[in-house]
């Protein structure tokens, strides 16, 4: 592996050793408290057992263009988990999977996703995809439109992740028919402040009028839940309900009535 950077070497090694794992954060219907599925979140388990959160390696992998390879591994792991849970007779999905914006304009991304979902017999309603706003340099909107369109043609729902934090999100909303809008936790954490309340209430209203479902991230308090439900945002995830869980913990949670 001569000529590779340290990041690339470590990444290839970790892929080979199957050091990446997927945890699942529950998503809840905040009106009733009932389970609605989960978001897949990647974790890197180092050789010494330490679990590294994505904020510590996603930006570096994005920078060198490797994040789409990790996303493909995550899609594979999620499809495998969904398939195995079904075989064991457990409820699991729908699961939303994060995809870097670097997939836009990249050859073959949607084909590889199609192949792996077909291999594991995944139905479109069992998976959705969240397009993250993290890739600084990638602003290929045409490529992103095509990529999102290809997945939507397969029947998958597409979410705009971290809404409100990127610098071209309104423009993207104009161009791409996202099915789901995920309100960034920065705004949710400011509920109760007059300006934040106006921004959130208008955003939820706008999303509804554009035919999108809204999911609130980072829900931590009852006051936030009350505000969100009153303003017609019904789906939420956050530490108030649950932190991300291992697959087996998630299966136990998902199965509750
Ligand atoms: P995200 O997609 O916005 O995921 C939500 C993040 O917020 C998760 O952090 C989750 O643990 C955290 N979170 C959830 N509820 C709360 C809460 O109530 N309070 C607070 N303070 N935080 C909460 P995590 O797992 O560290 O992931 C960070 C980011 O890394 C993700 O943000 C996503 O952008 C990226 N990421 C994770 N997995 C993948 C992946 O497989 N592919 C790609 N491309 N990006 C990923
Ligand atoms: Mg996400
Ligand atoms: Mg997010």
């Amino acid at each position: 592996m001569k000529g590779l950077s340290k990041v690339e070497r470590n990444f290839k090694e970790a892929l080979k050793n199957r050091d990446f794992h997927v945890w699942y954060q529950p998503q809840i219907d905040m009106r009733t408290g009932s389970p609605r599925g989960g978001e897949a979140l990647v974790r890197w388990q180092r050789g010494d057992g330490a679990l590294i959160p994505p904020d510590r390696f996603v930006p570096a992998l994005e920078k060198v263009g490797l994040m789409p390879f990790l996303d493909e591994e995550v899609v594979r792991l999620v499809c495998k988990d969904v398939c195995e849970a079904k075989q064991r007779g457990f409820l699991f999905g729908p699961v939303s999977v994060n995809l870097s914006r670097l997939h836009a304009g990249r050859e073959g991304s949607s084909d590889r996703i199609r192949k792996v979902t077909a291999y594991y017999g995944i139905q479109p309603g069992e998976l959705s995809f969240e397009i993250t706003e993290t890739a600084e340099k990638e602003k290929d909107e045409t490529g992103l439109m095509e990529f999102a369109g290809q997945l939507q043609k397969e029947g998958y729902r597409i979410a705009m992740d971290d809404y409100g934090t990127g610098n071209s999100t309104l423009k993207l909303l104009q161009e791409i028919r996202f099915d789901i809008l995920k309100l960034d936790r920065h705004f949710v954490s400011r509920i109760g402040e007059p300006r934040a309340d106006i921004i959130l209430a208008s955003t939820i209203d706008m999303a509804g009028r554009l035919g999108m479902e809204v999911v609130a991230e980072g829900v931590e308090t009852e006051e936030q839940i009350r505000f969100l439900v009153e303003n017609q945002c019904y789906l939420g995830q956050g530490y108030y309900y649950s932190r991300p869980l291992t697959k087996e913990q998630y299966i136990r949670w998902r199965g509750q009535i």
Side-chain angles (χ1 to χ4, degrees):
M1 287 192 268
K2 240 168 136 187
L4 294 182
S5 70
K6 193 167 163 233
V7 176
E8 288 169 309
R9 260 198 325 271
N10 287 344
F11 175 68
K12 294 207 160 162
E13 197 63 26
L15 262 190
K16 200 173 83 203
N17 295 338
R18 300 259 144 109
D19 286 342
F20 292 105
H21 300 269
V22 180
W23 287 44
Y24 296 91
Q25 185 173 36
Q27 291 181 336
I28 281 103
D29 183 329
M30 297 186 286
R31 288 168 297 186
T32 56
S34 51
R36 273 290 301 263
E39 175 176 7
L41 295 161
V42 70
R43 301 287 182 262
W44 185 339
Q45 180 139 35
R46 278 199 328 227
D48 61 5
L51 213 54
I52 316 175
D55 289 345
R56 298 233 331 257
F57 58 87
V58 168
L61 292 179
E62 291 257 0
K63 208 163 158 203
V64 295
L66 286 172
M67 203 51 211
F69 293 95
L70 178 54
D71 286 341
E72 285 173 11
E73 170 72 352
V74 171
V75 172
R76 188 186 71 76
L77 291 168
V78 169
C79 290
K80 186 164 169 278
D81 285 351
V82 172
C83 177
E84 284 174 5
K86 275 197 291 190
Q87 282 168 355
R88 291 162 64 197
F90 294 128
L91 282 174
F92 201 85
V95 175
S96 64
V97 181
N98 292 284
L99 295 177
S100 159
R101 275 187 69 172
L102 291 175
H103 287 278
R106 180 172 173 263
E107 201 55 45
S109 270
S110 58
D111 287 341
R112 282 188 290 275
I113 291 174
R114 190 181 312 122
K115 270 193 198 127
V116 75
T117 51
Y119 178 82
Y120 285 105
I122 303 297
Q123 301 301 312
E126 294 174 309
L127 274 196
S128 62
F129 295 101
E130 303 185 4
I131 311 275
T132 59
E133 258 293 334
T134 42
E136 295 277 323
K137 61 178 182 196
E138 187 61 51
K139 291 290 171 216
D140 178 1
E141 277 165 26
T142 315
L144 190 61
M145 266 166 76
E146 277 168 21
F147 179 59
Q150 283 156 357
L151 294 173
Q152 284 172 322
K153 221 164 73 198
E154 297 287 316
Y156 296 107
R157 300 206 307 155
I158 307 293
M160 179 187 268
D161 204 357
D162 307 326
Y163 181 73
T165 56
N167 47 22
S168 62
T169 44
L170 268 181
K171 191 153 167 254
L172 272 187
L173 267 193
Q174 168 83 46
E175 306 298 344
I176 299 178
R177 289 175 178 266
F178 287 97
D179 305 283
I180 302 161
L181 192 78
K182 294 200 74 177
L183 294 172
D184 191 74
R185 68 167 181 267
H186 170 80
F187 297 104
V188 175
S189 72
R190 308 278 291 262
I191 286 174
E193 293 178 24
R195 294 181 72 82
D197 289 358
I198 294 169
I199 292 170
L200 271 181
S202 335
T203 303
I204 296 166
D205 177 57
M206 174 193 68
R209 290 164 67 175
L210 288 171
M212 289 185 283
E213 191 166 43
V214 186
V215 181
E217 298 180 331
V219 176
E220 293 185 349
T221 69
E222 274 169 23
E223 182 200 356
Q224 292 165 355
I225 295 167
R226 218 172 308 121
F227 176 90
L228 290 163
V229 171
E230 270 168 18
N231 284 281
Q232 275 106 50
C233 167
Y234 302 131
L235 292 181
Q237 62 185 91
Y239 295 168
Y240 177 84
Y241 294 107
S242 172
R243 289 182 178 255
L245 305 172
T246 64
K247 178 183 71 178
E248 293 301 326
Q249 290 169 332
Y250 172 78
I251 284 176
R252 277 197 292 281
W253 170 82
R254 184 68 185 86
Q256 54 176 305
I257 327 157

